[in-house]
Amino acid sequence: MSFLRWVTEKLSVESLRDLELFGEQAQGLSHRKPHEESQESLTSLPRRDTMGSYLPDSSSYELLTVIGKGLDDLMTVNLARYKPTGEHVAIRRIDLESCTNDMVTYLQGELHVSKLFHHPSILPYKSIFIAENELWVITPFMAYGSARDLICTHFSDGMSELTIAYILLGMLKALEYIHHMGYVHRSVKASHVLISSDGQVCMSGLRSIFSLIRNGQRAKMVHDFPQYSVKVLPWLSPEVLQQNLQGYDFRSDIYSLGITACELANGHVPFKDMPATQMLLEKLNGTVPCLLDTTTIPPEELSLKPSRSAADSGICEGPRAGGPRHSNGDPSSSSGGHPYNRTFSPQFHSFVELCLQRDPENRPSATTLIGHPFFKQIKRRPSEALPELLQPVSPITCFESSGPQDSVSGLASLESGLSHLDVEDWDF
Amino acid sequence: MSDCDLPHLEYLNDNELMEMDTFIHRIDSTEVIYQPRRKRAKMIGKYLMGDLLGEGSYGKVKEMLDSETLCRRAVKILKKKKLRRIPNGEANVKKEIQLLRRLQHKNVIQLVDVLYNEEKQKMYMVMEYCVCGMQEMLDSVPEKRFPVFQAHGYFCQLIDGLEYLHSQGIVHKDIKPGNLLLTTDGSLKISDLGVAEALHPFAEDDTCRTSQGSPAFQPPEIANGLDTFSGFKVDIWSAGVTLYNITTSLYPFEGDNIYKLFENIGKGDYTVPEECGPLLSDLLRGMLEYDPAKRFSIQNIRQHNWVRKKHPPSERPVPIPACAESRDQWRSMTVVPYLEDLHGYTEDDDDELYDGEDEIIYTQDFTVPGQVVEEYQDQGNADHSPAVAKPVCVNGTEGGSLNSKSKAERRSSSSSNPSRKGVSTASKIRKLSTCKQQ
């Protein structure tokens, strides 16, 4: 029995090797001198980006603070310094010994896909190798953390509409690419959107990605229910959750994007404070979450003190299709600081409504959504606009300005910067 | 009504039970409202029970929902009392669980969890969810068979699953369309290992001595009552009968009773309909070979040209039929009404409850002290139409066509509202008061 498991596990690891994902490190040479070219590494291909290639050798990395955990605590995310260049990188370390066969297969799928994908809005895997019993995945360090971190630390009542527009546009570009490649992402959420120090928006969370290609052909619908996705349930579309013969396709990601839009705007994901079963019921019954502002919350509530009000659930009172709304330009007089006493543009509302339609057929594709009037407000490049919009948050790499070799104080400021992060939620 | 006994008590702790006594007061019989049987939430561990999927000799199979992962599941409910009445019942179940626990293949049904209730002498085998059985699909069309390309697809999966089982030293012994299930994405799952046999790890070959499979699918060596026989070749034969059946709608051997049937199988005379064509005929003859030693092995089958051939989808495939009960073509979750009960969404009486042909049971309504119940105004009104739109949607929009929909939305707005807690306790109490009545 256990022998069998051992064999199969070994086989899975061997087949991981077959993917040429691992460098010689895996073969057991532990202290090789790092040198320029490493043929076995994924990143040895001529790089199309600025980061350059990274050695598949654990001794080339100096592990710094832990910046996250995930995958049922099997995964630890470290900030690390890449010794040859001094650059900061993020390393996800997964203890393969504690992984079940299923889990290994699952991870394999992710690595496979990461090899296939190349897009500026998708977090690239710079190097993948095995060190001791751990799978190491090297990715660029995204200094602003995830969009969810930003919400947790600085924008607890939601971000500004323009910031959200930049983030959603980045996500849509990634989704357009992923869908074009024949995949469904299946875990679109704010914690899977990372922002680099220069305002680049990158999607991560490829772990539950699923291919629509069946026997060489693109299937119209797929039916697989994502595993290990308990934390993603609030973002999943009704048709994914329904698990019936109807199945789902890439449009389920569009629904999740709509939920993410609410998450970014409201500061929390809709349905967050109810049991999973109730969330399921709400979605199947057609409850449509919405942006919380003066157009969706009655003025009586906005004039109340900010408290645990109905608005907190992030769900508006029914689909507002055609129905009379509360007038836009008349925020309640007592602007006593209710966080949702604000008005998002009608374009933003319509964008979210389009995404969250119950019938997937009616949801626009990522490509169509990129042309939505909501994004008309974007005038500058994200690298110029986002860092400014995110103020007072500063990227955690700002310590680098404190001097090239001043590693002690640099690290100290870095760690204090990191302590702002909600470590629990930094799941890539 | 029997499913309305103890389990609901679990929702209440002692304190609430005490409080409740003060809530329940006598009500005149004129105040008793007729109500069709409502689907009441029942949790088994973390699983929420749904509708009946089927009934086997051992007990019921129901749909379930994993309340944590929201994954659809099926559960085989086994009652000890029933098992004792079936020859080898308990032993077979134990064996099946042991076997399934160590199996993992995309074409073999996965056992997810096993729960026991000592008090009720019940066992729950939680399995992966399958939407339909192959027999049900066959029965749903007048031709009672699949187009060749569809049958080919299923047969290849059957062989994959069978090869895995045999590699694990397991003889299934009851391969037939009735034991082949399909998932939403059309994967075939070999199920029901109730009469399967695990060969001894050090056994020299696949010699078996017993078989309890379905008669029409048994090979000559069993029909003739041989003491020992090759187990793997039994499965090959049964898979051959299955292929014969799903491509022609016929059985190679028939008989008015089991003796006649076994007599015919024992003789081994059968014909393959001409419409099968030479390739399929050859495969069927190889699998339905009288002499187990000459009968095709899995390898022979894999290399057979009918199996290797690509069969163009010439006809429309037989679809998974709509659910017989609900007429739901998508076979959606059946747990939704139970979810509504679980979360207290069914409190206001719903119109749709009244036009069902469900059996009518007595339900006693009640009032919580201090709460004015609007229903009183409707008393004596035969078609008792409850206050459907009691709390008006705050933003004044119409909730849509579905009654339950608007209710859900209305309810959702109060989901983080502390007052909600009171509502759900009330619903718990109502549950209990109904139970007490019976």
Side-chain angles (χ1 to χ4, degrees):
Chain A
M1 201 23 223
S2 58
F3 171 73
L4 211 123
R5 196 185 139 188
W6 180 82
V7 170
T8 28
E9 248 170 23
K10 181 130 173 71
L11 280 177
S12 333
V13 174
E14 295 294 353
S15 50
L16 278 176
R17 287 209 180 100
D18 290 344
L19 290 172
E20 297 176 329
L21 293 174
F22 303 119
E24 286 171 33
Q25 177 69 20
Q27 259 72 31
L29 295 169
S30 52
H31 289 291
R32 276 190 327 128
K33 264 253 163 108
H35 52 78
E36 287 308 312
E37 38 131 31
S38 57
Q39 286 154 355
E40 295 90 348
S41 142
L42 250 190
T43 51
S44 61
L45 299 164
R47 278 288 95 179
R48 299 144 284 210
D49 45 66
T50 53
M51 300 293 282
S53 72
Y54 289 80
L55 292 169
D57 177 356
S58 64
S59 62
S60 306
Y61 302 87
E62 183 192 345
L63 292 182
L64 306 172
T65 12
V66 173
I67 52 176
K69 282 203 181 286
L71 200 68
D72 296 332
D73 275 359
L74 290 171
M75 178 173 78
T76 310
V77 186
N78 272 94
L79 175 72
R81 209 169 57 87
Y82 182 52
K83 290 178 193 168
T85 63
E87 277 171 292
H88 283 91
V89 292
I91 305 183
R92 311 177 199 187
R93 298 181 296 130
I94 297 166
D95 181 8
L96 288 174
E97 296 256 299
S98 341
C99 285
T100 60
N101 292 347
D102 270 355
M103 204 80 96
V104 173
T105 323
Y106 190 59
L107 293 171
Q108 231 172 304
E110 176 190 0
L111 302 183
H112 229 308
V113 168
S114 75
K115 220 181 148 176
L116 187 68
F117 284 0
H118 178 75
H119 189 272
S121 298
I122 295 174
L123 187 74
Y125 292 5
K126 294 299 187 179
S127 188
I128 305 167
F129 55 91
I130 284 182
E132 305 283 327
N133 297 320
E134 290 178 341
L135 174 68
W136 283 37
V137 179
I138 315 291
T139 64
F141 177 61
M142 305 294 277
Y144 278 106
S146 75
R148 159 124 190 109
D149 294 325
L150 293 167
I151 289 173
C152 287
T153 54
H154 291 87
F155 305 97
S156 57
D157 298 317
M159 297 172 163
S160 75
E161 181 172 331
L162 188 56
T163 317
I164 297 172
Y166 278 104
I167 294 174
L168 290 181
L169 187 62
M171 293 175 79
L172 275 171
K173 284 178 179 163
L175 286 178
E176 182 185 35
Y177 177 79
I178 289 169
H179 296 166
H180 173 75
M181 300 291 278
Y183 286 84
V184 193
H185 186 283
R186 305 201 301 179
S187 56
V188 174
K189 54 195 277 222
S191 66
H192 286 156
V193 189
L194 305 172
I195 299 166
S196 69
S197 57
D198 59 351
Q200 277 302 321
V201 176
C202 269
M203 280 213 71
S204 70
L206 296 182
R207 218 180 298 127
S208 27
I209 204 159
F210 194 73
S211 175
L212 283 165
I213 310 293
R214 290 283 165 274
N215 305 318
Q217 288 192 321
R218 192 181 280 233
K220 263 199 178 140
M221 290 288 169
V222 287
H223 299 81
D224 179 81
F225 188 66
Q227 272 187 300
Y228 314 110
S229 293
V230 175
K231 281 188 171 173
V232 193
L233 292 174
W235 287 265
L236 293 183
S237 69
E239 67 271 17
V240 171
L241 296 171
Q242 174 71 22
Q243 301 160 71
N244 65 8
L245 288 171
Q246 205 167 5
Y248 61 91
D249 64 3
F250 59 89
R251 283 168 213 268
S252 63
D253 281 346
I254 301 298
Y255 182 93
S256 305
L257 183 85
I259 296 282
T260 309
C262 295
E263 182 187 13
L264 296 172
N266 301 342
H268 59 254
V269 64
F271 310 108
K272 65 148 188 181
D273 51 3
M274 51 176 84
T277 45
Q278 192 179 357
M279 179 273 298
L280 171 69
L281 188 56
E282 293 280 351
K283 284 189 184 170
L284 294 184
N285 280 342
T287 305
V288 184
C290 65
L291 306 171
L292 299 174
D293 70 354
T294 52
T295 66
T296 54
I297 307 173
E300 309 90 75
E301 284 210 41
L302 282 175
S303 60
L304 292 175
K305 269 199 166 173
S307 64
R308 287 177 51 80
S309 66
D312 268 5
S313 67
I315 298 160
C316 62
E317 301 289 329
R320 292 167 302 132
R325 272 202 218 164
H326 284 276
S327 58
N328 266 338
D330 182 31
S332 107
S333 52
S334 64
S335 48
H338 193 292
Y340 299 138
N341 199 349
R342 58 188 175 184
T343 308
F344 291 118
S345 72
Q347 290 80 17
F348 192 11
H349 281 285
S350 97
F351 177 87
V352 171
E353 276 168 32
L354 281 173
C355 294
L356 292 180
Q357 291 174 96
R358 175 72 171 83
D359 183 358
E361 285 293 309
N362 295 336
R363 292 175 213 145
S365 68
T367 314
T368 312
L369 282 172
I370 287 174
H372 191 276
F374 170 55
F375 296 115
K376 289 264 158 63
Q377 55 191 302
I378 291 183
K379 304 273 192 259
R380 292 186 291 166
R381 286 207 302 236
S383 54
E384 292 163 9
L386 257 185
E388 198 180 303
L389 283 167
L390 289 174
Q391 276 177 13
V393 192
S394 51
I396 327 174
T397 40
C398 59
F399 64 91
E400 279 178 343
S401 58
S402 67
Q405 286 309 321
D406 193 4
S407 63
V408 180
S409 68
L411 260 186
S413 76
L414 175 63
E415 295 206 22
S416 71
L418 282 169
S419 65
H420 288 298
L421 286 179
D422 186 351
V423 167
E424 274 300 293
D425 280 301
W426 232 51
D427 61 331
F428 285 74
Chain B
M1 255 161 270
S2 63
D3 56 7
C4 188
D5 40 25
L6 280 169
H8 300 295
L9 285 169
E10 293 161 8
Y11 292 114
L12 300 166
N13 59 33
D14 285 356
N15 262 338
E16 284 170 313
L17 275 170
M18 297 281 280
E19 279 172 33
M20 199 189 46
D21 260 77
T22 60
F23 285 157
I24 297 177
H25 36 129
R26 286 185 180 282
I27 289 181
D28 189 86
S29 62
T30 55
E31 290 171 35
V32 172
I33 302 158
Y34 284 102
Q35 215 181 29
R37 187 218 287 270
R38 182 192 290 164
K39 295 188 168 177
R40 302 203 172 275
K42 185 174 174 182
M43 298 288 292
I44 307 294
K46 63 168 179 170
Y47 301 96
L48 176 68
M49 207 68 106
D51 279 355
L52 190 72
L53 293 173
E55 216 153 341
S57 49
Y58 294 166
K60 291 172 179 167
V61 180
K62 285 189 173 183
E63 186 182 336
M64 288 217 287
L65 179 77
D66 184 324
S67 67
E68 288 168 11
T69 65
L70 298 187
C71 191
R72 261 179 122 172
R73 300 291 186 200
V75 64
K76 208 164 158 178
I77 306 165
L78 304 151
K79 286 187 185 163
K80 226 174 184 169
K81 246 196 294 179
K82 264 192 182 167
L83 281 184
R84 286 209 195 93
R85 275 188 254 133
I86 299 163
N88 301 320
E90 281 184 272
N92 282 349
V93 168
K94 259 190 199 158
K95 199 174 61 190
E96 183 175 6
I97 291 175
Q98 272 174 2
L99 288 181
L100 283 175
R101 274 221 166 110
R102 65 177 163 100
L103 297 180
Q104 192 177 25
H105 187 271
K106 60 183 194 316
N107 298 119
V108 177
I109 192 99
Q110 188 80 41
L111 179 69
V112 177
D113 211 347
V114 182
L115 297 101
Y116 302 89
N117 186 331
E118 287 295 336
E119 194 188 332
K120 288 196 188 170
Q121 296 278 288
K122 274 186 185 175
M123 180 157 66
Y124 304 89
M125 289 171 67
V126 184
M127 330 270 273
E128 67 187 306
Y129 179 78
C130 294
V131 264
C132 193
M134 191 180 277
Q135 191 63 56
E136 192 185 345
M137 281 177 81
L138 289 168
D139 292 342
S140 72
V141 286
E143 313 87 74
K144 308 282 177 222
R145 60 168 181 82
F146 295 126
V148 170
F149 81 95
Q150 194 177 9
H152 177 265
Y154 292 145
F155 181 72
C156 291
Q157 296 188 65
L158 169 60
I159 294 304
D160 284 350
L162 211 48
E163 183 176 40
Y164 171 76
L165 286 178
H166 291 179
S167 77
Q168 299 294 307
I170 290 165
V171 185
H172 186 280
K173 291 191 183 176
D174 201 12
I175 296 293
K176 58 173 181 179
N179 283 337
L180 305 177
L181 305 179
L182 296 160
T183 61
T184 43
D185 64 353
S187 307
L188 175 142
K189 306 277 178 182
I190 300 177
S191 79
D192 201 345
L193 277 77
V195 298
E197 179 173 335
L199 302 168
H200 192 276
F202 299 120
E204 282 182 6
D205 56 25
D206 59 335
T207 302
C208 296
R209 285 159 209 285
T210 58
S211 174
Q212 307 169 50
S214 313
F217 294 82
Q218 299 298 303
E221 58 271 25
I222 289 174
N224 289 334
L226 261 65
D227 285 339
T228 63
F229 47 86
S230 155
F232 294 157
K233 291 299 172 74
V234 173
D235 284 345
I236 300 286
W237 176 279
S238 308
V241 179
T242 302
L243 179 60
Y244 189 105
N245 178 249
I246 64 175
T247 50
T248 67
S249 82
L250 308 167
Y251 293 95
F253 303 95
E254 290 185 17
D256 292 337
N257 53 52
I258 189 168
Y259 303 103
K260 282 271 198 294
L261 176 65
F262 272 3
E263 202 182 301
N264 292 339
I265 297 173
K267 283 188 218 150
D269 292 333
Y270 68 94
T271 52
V272 179
E274 266 186 39
E275 79 219 34
C276 288
L279 263 186
L280 179 54
S281 294
D282 187 67
L283 174 61
L284 288 171
R285 286 187 198 290
M287 296 180 76
L288 299 177
E289 162 63 47
Y290 192 87
D291 180 0
K294 287 190 202 154
R295 198 174 297 153
F296 275 3
S297 66
I298 296 235
Q299 292 324 311
N300 295 146
I301 296 170
R302 280 203 183 289
Q303 286 153 17
H304 195 276
N305 279 333
W306 186 83
V307 174
R308 289 166 44 169
K309 190 180 159 190
K310 183 161 166 42
H311 300 268
S314 46
E315 298 167 63
R316 252 178 59 89
V318 173
I320 289 177
C323 176
E325 301 249 311
S326 64
R327 310 243 133 254
D328 172 18
Q329 60 158 332
W330 299 120
R331 300 208 170 206
S332 301
M333 287 181 175
T334 63
V335 294
V336 174
Y338 303 92
L339 281 172
E340 287 178 345
D341 181 54
L342 183 71
H343 294 293
Y345 285 35
T346 44
E347 263 170 322
D348 312 6
D349 300 311
D350 211 274
D351 282 341
E352 63 195 64
L353 279 175
Y354 289 89
D355 49 40
E357 290 190 356
D358 270 331
E359 76 182 285
I360 305 285
I361 57 161
Y362 261 138
T363 313
Q364 187 181 13
D365 218 319
F366 66 97
T367 46
V368 176
Q371 179 193 327
V372 182
V373 178
E374 290 181 22
E375 264 96 328
Y376 277 117
Q377 297 152 4
D378 294 327
Q379 261 174 47
N381 205 344
D383 70 346
H384 177 77
S385 53
V388 178
K390 218 177 350 185
V392 177
C393 279
V394 206
N395 60 0
T397 51
E398 201 46 55
S401 55
L402 269 174
N403 193 358
S404 59
K405 190 175 167 186
S406 69
K407 189 171 352 168
E409 278 147 14
R410 212 164 61 221
R411 191 78 59 193
S412 66
S413 66
S414 63
S415 60
S416 346
N417 197 321
S419 74
R420 191 171 161 72
K421 206 175 163 190
V423 169
S424 63
T425 349
S427 78
K428 285 172 192 168
I429 293 159
R430 176 199 287 250
K431 271 174 210 156
L432 202 78
S433 67
T434 354
C435 294
K436 278 204 166 172
Q437 266 243 304
Q438 290 150 15

